[in-house]
Amino acid sequence: MLRKNIRLRKEYLFKKEKELKERATNEKKLLLKKAIDEGKAVPFSIKKDAAELKHQLENDDGNVDKGVDGTIVLRSHIDDEYEEAKYKDPKVMITTSRDPSSRLMQFQKEMRLIIPNSVRVNRGSYVLKGLVKICQDNDFSDIIILHEHKGEPDGMIVCHLPFGPTAYFGIHNVILRHDLKEKAQTMSEAYPHLIFDGFNTRLGDRLSDILKYLFPLPKVDTKRVMTFANNNDYISFRHHVYKKEDHETVKLKELGPRFELKPYQILLGTLDQPNAKKEWVLRPYMNTAAKRKAL
């Protein structure tokens, strides 16, 4: 089993490196295809390679797939990472750092209620390598590890199995269900609809994929809604149920908890790989950091 995992990991890394090398060529193909479809002149940046690109476009679609609307869609390692999500519901393990406080354990319990098909596991003396092996042996698709500082939840790691990615988030302004002004209702465990607002960049799409694949597909008529709203690179989480009072009015009821996520790192690997390649790292102390919006 160990040899198989090592071989699959090497194959995945090889495909990922190959994809990075071919991305520039595929983007040029998209520009040429768009120019041909719209009857416009070939862009100056690809005019030199236009003949060769046209030949490749006609004869070899390698990493290019057709979308629903007929447009060209680049296939990447991200599609391979979440390939199983198309036909299999996720199974998530939620655990904490060692010796958690009562508030972190309560937050862990509420996270288990938020994410369907999740299992809450006490950390005990498990090391990260042991946790990853247990999850792989028991067919878990993701691991979530919650951290705290002075009794207040302040960090979350989301690791997708078996190859990654691993996303690191800071957690701010945590309000648990029983801290809300309105009395907390019994929480529905129906599969929720997800709303992602304000994720406008490639990195935003990447993070929304990491979060949305924690949840299974909902039924059309479910009344449970979870919102991830990006505002200045802080992702606000809200959890509601709604009720239609008439054909014009919809009433929302917040179930909680609520918190803000601040992403700061994405690794192309799992938790047990300390030397995994960094896909993205937040750099808040650069001169232009205040002007740039990552998501």
Side-chain angles (χ1 to χ4, degrees), residues 84-147:
E84 289 190 357
K86 296 176 182 177
Y87 54 85
K88 185 179 177 183
D89 285 345
K91 184 180 177 185
V92 183
M93 174 193 279
I94 303 176
T95 187
T96 64
S97 53
R98 288 202 178 96
D99 299 321
S101 66
S102 59
R103 185 168 173 81
L104 185 63
M105 291 191 71
Q106 181 61 34
F107 184 55
Q108 181 193 16
K109 291 176 184 176
E110 296 189 6
M111 288 294 291
R112 195 211 68 77
L113 293 173
I114 286 173
I115 301 174
N117 299 337
S118 60
V119 178
R120 184 171 62 91
V121 176
N122 293 331
R123 177 66 180 271
S125 59
Y126 288 118
V127 296
L128 292 179
K129 189 170 287 188
L131 277 176
V132 172
K133 188 171 189 315
I134 289 170
C135 289
Q136 289 175 339
D137 291 344
N138 290 278
D139 203 26
F140 282 92
S141 63
D142 296 88
I143 310 173
I144 295 178
I145 300 181
L146 304 172
H147 294 273

Side-chain angles (χ1 to χ4, degrees), residues 148-167:
E148 65 180 340
H149 178 68
K150 295 184 178 180
E152 188 67 24
D154 76 331
M156 181 173 76
I157 303 172
V158 180
C159 175
H160 184 67
L161 298 173
F163 305 133
T166 302

Side-chain angles (χ1 to χ4, degrees), residues 25-33 53 56-57 60:
T25 303
N26 287 327
E27 288 178 351
K28 289 179 181 178
K29 286 181 185 178
L30 290 177
L31 285 175
L32 180 62
K33 178 76 164 54
L53 289 171
Q56 291 179 11
L57 198 60
D60 181 19

Side-chain angles (χ1 to χ4, degrees), residues 182-199:
E182 297 184 14
K183 185 178 178 181
Q185 292 183 343
T186 303
M187 188 183 293
S188 166
E189 293 196 32
Y191 294 172
H193 290 296
L194 303 178
I195 298 173
F196 289 90
D197 181 56
F199 293 82

